[in-house]
Amino acid sequence: MIVDPETRENKKSSFDKRLAEARAKIGKHDDADGQQNKDADDGQSLSHGYRMGLEFVSAVAVGAFIGYWLDRWFGTSPIFLIGMFLIGTLTGFRNLMRLLESTNDETDGKAGGKTGDGLDDKTGENE
């Protein structure tokens, strides 16, 4: 089926109009630069927060679980449980630090490599 360019352009503008109406209806509109509003950033921050909590809790839980089963296997008191709980806690903090560093690297890339002090991150020279 051959569609002439005028019909294609009308369909595209109709779609853009309906998309803008739908975004306005749910509260996600574009600002003057074509960027989505603060709702997208809030959702991403919430996602990072949940991920950090889940990674920390899961590292501690896995460490404690392994320690519990080692204690049962060797017939010891909570020696392995306490040790593996501490190792799991340290691993959880390490995972949080890695996640925060990667998040920081992503935000530095969005800012264009500028710190707030007027120096370029890569060269350390004035702008």
Side-chain angles (χ1 to χ4, degrees):
M1 177 162 96
I2 298 175
V3 178
D4 63 65
E6 186 176 314
T7 305
R8 183 180 298 148
E9 191 61 37
N10 287 341
K11 285 183 179 182
K12 185 177 185 286
S13 65
S14 172
F15 173 76
D16 290 339
K17 185 173 133 183
R18 288 182 289 142
L19 180 62
E21 288 172 359
R23 283 185 174 167
K25 186 185 247 184
I26 63 171
K28 288 188 175 185
H29 57 279
D30 293 346
D31 61 8
D33 296 333
Q35 299 293 324
Q36 284 193 349
N37 61 358
K38 193 173 180 279
D39 290 344
D41 291 335
D42 290 344
Q44 189 171 12
S45 297
L46 187 62
S47 172
H48 282 292
Y50 281 133
R51 180 178 174 192
M52 289 181 354
L54 183 65
E55 284 193 19
F56 181 76
V57 169
S58 62
V60 173
V62 167
F65 182 75
I66 291 171
Y68 172 76
W69 281 106
L70 286 174
D71 276 333
R72 286 185 50 114
W73 190 17
F74 292 119
T76 58
S77 299
I79 294 171
F80 285 109
L81 175 65
I82 293 170
M84 294 303 288
F85 179 82
L86 292 175
I87 289 173
T89 302
L90 293 174
T91 303
F93 279 122
R94 184 188 61 121
N95 288 343
L96 289 180
M97 293 305 295
R98 281 189 352 204
L99 182 62
L100 288 173
E101 286 174 0
S102 69
T103 303
N104 192 23
D105 291 343
E106 289 173 8
T107 54
D108 283 348
K110 288 180 184 175
K114 305 282 188 222
T115 57
D117 56 5
L119 299 177
D120 191 339
D121 282 344
K122 294 177 181 140
T123 62
E125 299 175 1
N126 287 333
E127 297 179 35

